Every structure is written in structure tokens, then in C-alpha cells.
């Protein structure tokens, strides 16, 4: 998935445009910037690519989630439903604005289980945040149905699934708001960066203001701007945006290569008894950044993870025991290890979490192996990997 594999002269040229003028900020300094507006250029190109009317570029994927929630009016005490398998940014962004994370089970899509979402809805629920983990999506149709019925926001975390689609729509554009990350290991990178996309005019204006201290961005004198709302600083720099401008032009080629490599790996494993693939919801297309399989048991998955690593297969993840992505590794969340005091509603929810079991999530995560698909591999390399993966799994199963 990583855009860092294709960093080259195109990125350097875009960054040099910025270095030559020395205007490292995305706003103002019109006379000095030689006509370069990298953040703006990225936003226009990305909105077009994602088939939405608006894109707001920000400093990271985590800030994109925070800005999206804030822009949609989610705040203190509101509950946001999120999955047990995700990245820590999900609960970080929710708690950053004083809202309460409500964790629910995933299913064989490795994303939110719609039935679990429905069960978790209370009078305080404001938003459902599916996370399209490892290149494939949640059942957006079912989730949208639930959100419409309960008047809830649907906010897609598409940080790991840029370029995938559902029902003919780019992932991130199906819900009310969609978020992306351009950190260094994502499909395309800005070094650090993120984006919020939406077709909602009000959310667009709020996101634009919130990520820059509440500035209204009207007129050309920054000092004279008014502040319709409170905000924060989640701005991206022109240097980071410039990297993204070049990377975005490479997205289609990256996706095509990923798909080709994914296909070769998947075809090699397809006939092995005991290997099952992650379910992709009907009418969904992955972005092919990861190949995800299920093995018959937790014990087999652990053994396979070890055997594959010993056979030289890097980029094979067993998320079940990995600190980053599954609730098993989030002691700091479950024990509410906050540097400062947390609000009462958040403390109460986290206290419940410390004893709560998620057997359904454990069932799927315990048996899952996730293979990173790289774009830098040669055809021969992919074929060799496919062969080793097949032999190793066949021996074990
Ligand atoms: C990477 C990632 C984020 C956060 O992005 P950063 O740019 O690293 O802050 C959020 N959600 C998911 C699913 C991610 O993979």
C-alpha cells in the first residue's frame, strides 16, 4: 500500500516549487508565492477524484477525523459508534472533542457488524464511524439504512482504503463525511497529512473554519477575518501538500499494480483447503492494499504467522496480538490512562470497556492473517512470494 515506494523526482519537483518561493503556508502571501497553491491544488484534484464537491486537506488522518466530527456538530457527551478493529485514531479523535467512543463487534468483513451497531444505539448516539480496514469496506448500505432510520451521521474512515468503491461510489464519499490519511505508510503520502471529503455545504464550511482557528477565510487580509466559531489548528503545510500533489497523480498506477499483485497472491491461495478470504460486501471493490485470509482456528493462525515469517514472508500481520489495531492491545484505553482528567461520561464508558468481552470480534481476528501488498515488487518476486505462501500454508493445514 505505501506511496513511499514511489517517491521520486515528481514529488521533489513539487516540493521545490514551494522551496523556491519560500511560502510554506497555505494561506496568504499572494505576491510572494509565484502562483503556487499546493494545498488548494490537491483539494481540487482530490474532490474531483472522489466525485464529491468538497475536500479539506489537514495535517493528518487523525486530525481529519477530529475535524469531520467537529464540523458535523458532534461534541461533549455525544456517543460515536466505532469498531473493535481499527487504528487508535478512531477513539483518539472522538475523545479529542469530548465525545464518547462506543466500541462494537466486527464481522467477517473485518469491519463494523451492522447488527452490533444497531444494538449499541442509545438516545445519545450521534454518529456511526465505520473503518474500512486493510483496503476493504464495511457494509455501507446496511449502515446507511440504520443511520437514516435513527437520524445519525455516517462518517467513513477510509484512511486505509483510498481508491476502493461501494455501489459505484469511491469509498469515503458514500457517507455524510469521509476521512483519509496521507501519513508515510498509506497508499499515497504527504509525509504527514489527511483529508475530509463531503458533499454537505455546511460541513464543508465548518471544516474549513475549524481546521484554521475558526477563520472565515473571507477576503485577503487574514488579520481582518472574523471567527464565526471556535476552532483549532489542524492546517497542513504547503511542503506536505506539494508531496501529495505529485502522489495523487500516481494513485491510479499504484492501485493497478496493487490489484495485479493481490490477484497473483490470492489465486495461489484460493485452492487451499482451510483458507478462506475476508468477505467483501456486495457491490464493493477493494483497493487491494492487503490480502486478508481466515484460517480454521486461532492456533493455526498463530502457527502460520510464525511459519510464514520464518519462510521470509515479511509484511504478514497477525493483528489479534498486535498493539496497534485491535482492542486486545489497548490497555491504555481500557484503563483510561489519560494525562489529565477525563469527563464523567467518557470515564464511565471506558470503565465498562475494561471488563467487556467481544467474542465475535475475537473469533474473526484470532483467525485472521493480513498480507501487505507492495507495489515495488517485481513480477518474479510476487510469484516467488505466492509460491512460498502457498507451500507454507499447505504444509500447515
Ligand atoms: C493511518 C490511519 C489513521 C490516522 O492517520 P494519521 O495520518 O496517521 O493520523 C486513521 N484511521 C486509520 C484506519 C488509519 O489506518
Amino acid at each position: 500500500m505505501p506511496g513511499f515506494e514511489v517517491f521520486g523526482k515528481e514529488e521533489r519537483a513539487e516540493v521545490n516549487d514551494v522551496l523556491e518561493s519560500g511560502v510554506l503556508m497555505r494561506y496568504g502571501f499572494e505576491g510572494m508565492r509565484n502562483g503556487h497553491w499546493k494545498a488548494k491544488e490537491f483539494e481540487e484534484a482530490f474532490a474531483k477524484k472522489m466525485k464529491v464537491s468538497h475536500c479539506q486537506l489537514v495535517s493528518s488522518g487523525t486530525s481529519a477525523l477530529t475535524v469531520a466530527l467537529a464540523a458535523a456538530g458532534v461534541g461533549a457527551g455525544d456517543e460515536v459508534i466505532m469498531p473493535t478493529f481499527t487504528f487508535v485514531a478512531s477513539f483518539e479523535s472522538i475523545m479529542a472533542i469530548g465525545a464518547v467512543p462506543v466500541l462494537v463487534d466486527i464481522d467477517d468483513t473485518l469491519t463494523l457488524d451492522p447488527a452490533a451497531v444497531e444494538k449499541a444505539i442509545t438516545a445519545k448516539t450521534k454518529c456511526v464511524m465505520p473503518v474500512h480496514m486493510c483496503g476493504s469496506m464495511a457494509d455501507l448500505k446496511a449502515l446507511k439504512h440504520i443511520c437514516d432510520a435513527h437520524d445519525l451521521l455516517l462518517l467513513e474512515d477510509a484512511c486505509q482504503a483510498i481508491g476502493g468503491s461501494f455501489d459505484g461510489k469511491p469509498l469515503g464519499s458514500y457517507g455524510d463525511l469521509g476521512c483519509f490519511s496521507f501519513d508515510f505508510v498509506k497508499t499515497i503520502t504527504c509525509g504527514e497529512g489527511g483529508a475530509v471529503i463531503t458533499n454537505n455545504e455546511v460541513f464543508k464550511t465548518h471544516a474549513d473554519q475549524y481546521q484554521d482557528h475558526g477563520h472565515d477565510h473571507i477576503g485577503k487580509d487574514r488579520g481582518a477575518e472574523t471567527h464565526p466559531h471556535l476552532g483549532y489548528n489542524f492546517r497542513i503545510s504547503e511542503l506536505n501538500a506539494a508531496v501529495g500533489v505529485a502522489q495523487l497523480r500516481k494513485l491510479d498506477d499504484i492501485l493497478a499494480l496493487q490489484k495485479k499483485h493481490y490477484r497473483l497472491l490470492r489465486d495461489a491461495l484460493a485452492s487451499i483447503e482451510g483458507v478462506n478470504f475476508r468477505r467483501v460486501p456486495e457491490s464493493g471493490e477493494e483497493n487491494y492494499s492487503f490480502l486478508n485470509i481466515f484460517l480454521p482456528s486461532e492456533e493455526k493462525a498463530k502457527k502460520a504467522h510464525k511459519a510464514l515469517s520464518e519462510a521470509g514472508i515479511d509484511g504478514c500481520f497477525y493483528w489479534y496480538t498486535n498493539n496497534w489495531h485491535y482492542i486486545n492491545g489497548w490497555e491504555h484505553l481500557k484503563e483510561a490512562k489519560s494525562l489529565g482528567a477525563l469527563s464523567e461520561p467518557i470515564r464511565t464508558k471506558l470503565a465498562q470497556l475494561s471488563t467487556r468481552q467481544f467474542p465475535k470480534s475475537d473469533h474473526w481476528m484470532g483467525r485472521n492473517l493480513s498480507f501487505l501488498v507492495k507495489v515495488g515488487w517485481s513480477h518474479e518476486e510476487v510469484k516467488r512470494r505466492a509460491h512460498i505462501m502457498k507451500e507454507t500454508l499447505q504444509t500447515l493445514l
Side-chain angles (χ1 to χ4, degrees):
M1 107 163 150
F4 69 75
E5 290 183 271
V6 299
F7 186 93
K9 62 178 191 312
E10 300 81 4
E11 286 78 1
R12 274 189 283 276
E14 293 292 337
V15 172
N16 273 333
D17 282 346
V18 179
L19 291 177
E20 269 160 30
S21 73
V23 179
L24 312 184
M25 189 188 186
R26 66 164 300 175
Y27 298 114
F29 301 91
E30 202 161 340
M32 287 168 63
R33 59 196 310 143
N34 298 337
H36 296 307
W37 301 88
K38 300 299 180 186
K40 229 183 243 181
E41 187 182 343
F42 184 99
E43 287 170 344
E44 277 160 24
F46 195 61
K48 203 163 160 206
K49 188 108 204 139
M50 293 293 116
K51 301 182 184 156
V52 292
S53 50
H54 305 297
C55 165
Q56 178 66 53
L57 199 53
V58 290
S59 55
S60 72
T62 310
S63 46
L65 291 165
T66 311
V67 169
L69 289 166
V74 180
D78 292 334
E79 292 182 356
V80 180
I81 296 175
M82 57 163 279
T84 52
F85 175 50
T86 177
F87 181 53
V88 291
S90 307
F91 57 77
E92 286 171 350
S93 59
I94 294 166
M95 294 196 295
I97 53 154
V100 181
V102 176
L103 276 76
V104 308
D105 268 323
I106 55 143
D107 59 20
D108 57 345
T109 64
L110 293 175
T111 67
L112 278 181
D113 170 15
V117 170
E118 190 133 42
K119 267 210 299 227
I121 293 171
T122 70
K124 293 199 171 130
T125 310
K126 192 92 179 251
C127 176
V128 177
M129 188 196 277
V131 184
H132 306 316
M133 285 300 280
C134 304
S136 183
M137 80 271 355
D139 187 344
L140 286 167
K141 196 169 175 186
L143 293 176
K144 182 153 178 35
H145 194 74
I146 293 168
C147 287
D148 287 347
H150 297 268
D151 196 19
L152 306 174
L153 289 160
L154 181 60
L155 193 174
E156 292 174 70
D157 178 341
C159 289
Q160 295 193 7
I162 187 173
S165 67
F166 183 81
D167 206 9
K169 295 194 170 102
L171 293 180
S173 73
Y174 192 90
D176 299 294
L177 300 129
C179 290
F180 296 87
S181 164
F182 308 116
D183 77 23
F184 200 50
V185 296
K186 295 305 201 281
T187 304
I188 58 170
T189 186
C190 291
E192 299 285 359
V196 182
I197 61 169
T198 185
N199 284 310
N200 182 307
E201 197 69 34
V202 173
F203 297 167
K204 174 249 173 184
T205 305
H206 288 173
D208 171 56
Q209 295 168 347
Y210 187 78
Q211 58 89 39
D212 185 26
H213 305 291
H215 276 270
D216 64 14
H217 295 144
I218 295 171
K220 288 189 173 175
D221 179 0
R222 196 167 160 77
E225 288 179 19
T226 68
H227 304 89
H229 304 281
L230 293 168
Y232 204 77
N233 180 2
F234 289 115
R235 288 190 310 261
I236 191 158
S237 87
E238 280 289 276
L239 288 169
N240 292 96
V243 177
V245 165
Q247 288 260 306
L248 185 53
R249 289 193 206 112
K250 299 181 180 180
L251 178 61
D252 289 343
D253 290 343
I254 291 175
L255 293 171
L257 258 179
Q258 270 183 184
K259 183 170 182 175
K260 198 170 143 209
H261 293 171
Y262 170 105
R263 270 278 142 226
L264 282 164
L265 298 180
R266 180 169 174 137
D267 289 350
L269 308 188
S271 61
I272 306 174
E273 187 87 26
V275 170
N276 286 295
F277 297 100
R278 159 219 216 138
R279 179 167 65 85
V280 176
E282 202 189 319
S283 87
E285 177 163 15
E286 303 179 61
N287 85 339
Y288 307 102
S289 54
F290 284 87
L291 174 66
N292 277 279
I293 62 168
F294 296 115
L295 295 178
S297 66
E298 189 179 320
E299 188 203 342
K300 286 243 162 44
K302 278 185 179 143
K303 277 193 180 149
H305 182 239
K306 189 159 176 278
L308 285 160
S309 159
E310 283 165 6
I313 299 297
D314 56 356
C316 169
F317 299 98
Y318 186 54
W319 302 122
Y320 192 51
T321 54
N322 175 301
N323 279 344
W324 282 73
H325 287 295
Y326 190 53
I327 187 168
N328 277 357
W330 302 336
E331 289 309 317
H332 64 321
L333 178 70
K334 290 188 271 189
E335 291 172 19
K337 288 186 183 167
S338 176
L339 291 173
L342 289 167
S343 71
E344 198 277 324
I346 294 179
R347 263 189 293 128
T348 307
K349 200 44 119 185
L350 296 187
Q352 293 167 6
L353 202 57
S354 63
T355 53
R356 180 117 185 255
Q357 299 296 311
F358 291 94
K360 189 170 179 188
S361 301
D362 288 343
H363 173 83
W364 293 111
M365 293 310 297
R367 302 189 305 151
N368 166 251
L369 288 183
S370 199
F371 299 92
L372 178 67
V373 176
K374 284 203 172 179
V375 295
W377 294 330
S378 68
H379 187 66
E380 285 312 309
E381 251 173 298
V382 188
K383 285 209 315 209
R384 195 180 53 84
R385 286 180 78 89
H387 180 73
I388 297 171
M389 281 161 63
K390 183 177 181 180
E391 295 282 300
T392 309
L393 288 170
Q394 243 165 1
T395 312
L396 224 128
L397 293 171

